[in-house]
């Protein structure tokens, strides 16, 4: 199934899922007042891992992203 997904989407499943989760995290950071830990857990991440992953994907921490965009 993973090979079929990659062939169809030109990206592997885990990278696709991570992108979907980061897009949702960005939305929640901007549209809600929820704490970053809550957002991380809602998306299925351990909060410390979420912070590292978010920074890897966006170049800034979730807190920095929220401050910069508001």
């Amino acid at each position: 199934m993973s090979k079929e997904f990659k062939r169809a989407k030109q990206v592997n499943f885990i990278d696709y899922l991570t992108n979907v989760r980061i897009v949702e995290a960005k939305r929640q950071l901007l549209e809600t007042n929820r704490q970053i830990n809550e957002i991380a857990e809602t998306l299925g991440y351990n909060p410390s891992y979420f912070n590292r992953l978010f920074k890897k994907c966006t170049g800034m921490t979730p807190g920095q992203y929220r401050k910069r965009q508001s």
Side-chain angles (χ1 to χ4, degrees):
M1 185 172 152
S2 181
K3 287 180 183 182
E4 288 296 318
F5 187 91
K6 186 169 184 169
R7 188 161 28 105
K9 295 283 190 181
Q10 304 301 313
V11 65
N12 68 33
F13 178 74
I14 195 67
D15 290 341
Y16 178 83
L17 181 59
T18 298
N19 184 60
V20 168
R21 287 175 168 171
I22 294 298
V23 168
E24 177 60 16
K26 288 178 179 179
R27 186 194 68 75
Q28 288 189 38
L29 286 166
L30 298 180
E31 296 178 7
T32 71
N33 292 325
R34 299 173 89 189
Q35 292 185 350
I36 293 168
N37 289 350
E38 283 183 76
I39 293 171
E41 290 173 356
T42 298
L43 296 172
Y45 289 116
N46 170 292
S48 63
Y49 178 70
F50 172 71
N51 285 327
R52 287 193 309 272
L53 182 64
F54 192 93
K55 186 170 185 174
K56 179 182 173 187
C57 293
T58 65
M60 62 186 90
T61 66
Q64 291 169 333
Y65 180 83
R66 181 177 262 171
K67 284 180 187 175
R68 188 172 286 174
Q69 300 299 323
S70 58

